[in-house]
Amino acid sequence: MAAAKNTNGRRQPSLSQLRAFAAVAEHLHFRDAAAAIGMSQPALSGAVSALEEILGVTLLERTTRKVLLSPAGERLAVRAKAVLEEVGALMEEAEAVRAPFTGALRLGVIPTVAPYLLPTVLRLCHDRYPDLDLQVHEEQTANLLEGLTSGRLDLLLLAVPLGVPGVVELPLFDEDFVLVTPLDHWLGGREGIPREALRELNLLLLDEGHCLRDQALDICREAGRADAPVTTTAAGLSTLVQLVAGGLGVTLLPRTAVKVETTRSNQLLTGYFADPAPTRRIALAMRAGAARRAEYEELAAALREALRPLPVRVL
């Protein structure tokens, strides 16, 4: 193989030349070195000679009885070995990239999904994709979308629709919202609650920036409530539910959050809306041109099956 040229026009060694020299440096014998790398002895000798010409130094001291490394050869043999090891690592990395569900996967998740779905996601990845390096980032929707479009994140798990150009949604499931109330609330524990009841309730919401807050406000508007029912807000669902337990109002929870959040207090009741209940849709989201699109679609299909035991309607 002819040696390549760099940007300065100077010839550069080929990998076969470096491999030949490294073999001779290790074995200090042309026949043994040639056998070790599967090259004929004349070809090996020619490769080492060509490398000496390209580098402009003498690498070997040749005698009739043995081969010795020159002082330059001693130094450059270390470099040649390092280069060959790095090339080997490059090939291994490329093999890992070609293999599905290996390497890093940077998954962004919204806070109103992470505590309730991550146990299922992590268990699935551990059991089915043991070579996948799953890295989880919990952020609000706007930050997740910025991370996805900039390449900081690979895949998102969040509420949709997003309506963002260049982002493809892989729907997983729909889930109903329920009404969480204090023990003494007149709607506590009821079924068939009409949406119109939301018009008069003191509804507690998450802080701005949470998509669940926007969804709750949309539900209120659909129920005919014109004002924004905001007197007290919270940074997370756990705090929100504790405010309800303290009698400050009521709130809406997605069904996947109910078991985790309402069992922390005995001062809460859960009410269910009449059909069709207000819902949200959860999906994976990826860039439209994602190189790993087939993997993400397979992961979405596996997640749908893994999520069936939850109180959701898998899509």
Side-chain angles (χ1 to χ4, degrees):
M1 180 183 292
K5 291 185 178 181
N6 62 19
T7 54
N8 296 323
R10 294 180 58 187
R11 288 193 301 162
Q12 292 183 319
S14 68
L15 289 177
S16 62
Q17 292 166 350
L18 291 175
R19 195 171 291 113
F21 170 54
V24 174
E26 179 181 354
H27 294 277
L28 295 178
H29 196 288
F30 277 98
R31 185 178 67 247
D32 293 346
I37 61 174
M39 182 181 285
S40 70
Q41 190 170 329
L44 179 93
S45 179
V48 174
S49 296
L51 180 62
E52 289 178 314
E53 181 182 349
I54 291 168
L55 298 178
V57 297
T58 298
L59 299 172
L60 304 176
E61 296 179 4
R62 300 167 175 86
T63 70
T64 56
R65 299 184 63 181
K66 59 182 177 179
V67 176
L68 298 176
L69 290 175
S70 70
E74 292 276 4
R75 293 176 58 181
L76 295 180
V78 176
R79 295 283 188 179
K81 183 179 179 181
V83 169
L84 293 171
E85 288 176 348
E86 286 299 317
V87 171
L90 172 67
M91 298 304 293
E92 289 178 3
E93 187 68 20
E95 178 65 28
V97 170
R98 289 196 300 271
F101 297 105
T102 59
L105 173 57
R106 299 164 296 179
L107 176 68
V109 190
I110 56 175
T112 59
V113 161
Y116 321 115
L117 298 190
L118 276 181
T120 301
V121 174
L122 296 176
R123 185 165 54 251
L124 171 69
C125 290
H126 178 271
D127 294 344
R128 186 173 296 194
Y129 312 118
D131 295 325
L132 184 66
D133 177 18
L134 185 65
Q135 302 170 6
V136 177
H137 302 262
E138 184 185 54
E139 301 173 27
Q140 293 184 3
T141 299
N143 290 337
L144 292 181
L145 287 170
E146 178 279 325
L148 184 68
T149 55
S150 69
R152 177 173 60 85
L153 298 173
D154 302 311
L155 193 64
L156 308 182
L157 179 59
L158 73 179
V160 296
L162 299 169
V164 177
V167 174
V168 175
E169 300 169 8
L170 303 173
L172 299 176
F173 63 83
D174 291 336
E175 65 176 326
D176 294 341
F177 283 99
V178 300
L179 187 69
V180 179
T181 72
L183 285 178
D184 58 354
H185 197 275
W186 66 282
L187 289 175
R190 286 184 52 183
E191 295 187 6
I193 299 172
R195 291 197 195 196
E196 291 73 21
L198 292 171
R199 297 175 185 173
E200 308 300 329
L201 298 179
N202 181 24
L203 192 64
L204 306 180
L205 300 176
L206 291 173
D207 294 336
E208 291 188 9
H210 289 277
C211 61
L212 190 58
R213 171 195 173 94
D214 297 330
Q215 291 161 353
L217 291 174
D218 288 341
I219 293 168
C220 289
R221 282 190 284 269
E222 291 170 2
R225 185 165 185 163
D227 67 315
V230 180
T231 57
T232 301
T233 63
L237 290 183
S238 295
T239 302
L240 202 62
V241 170
Q242 293 307 310
L243 294 175
V244 174
L248 295 187
V250 302
T251 196
L252 295 172
L253 277 189
R255 285 288 302 272
T256 51
V258 172
K259 183 176 180 180
V260 173
E261 300 300 345
T262 61
T263 54
R264 295 172 179 170
S265 173
N266 59 4
Q267 301 299 308
L268 298 167
L269 289 174
T270 302
Y272 299 89
F273 290 94
D275 291 334
T279 64
R280 72 170 180 175
R281 174 163 292 183
I282 301 299
L284 291 176
M286 62 182 177
R287 290 182 295 276
R292 302 171 72 179
R293 177 166 185 155
E295 287 180 56
Y296 300 156
E297 290 175 342
E298 181 180 335
L299 177 60
L303 268 177
R304 292 185 191 105
E305 293 306 310
L307 293 168
R308 287 191 183 278
L310 299 181
V312 300
R313 292 183 297 282
V314 173
L315 300 172

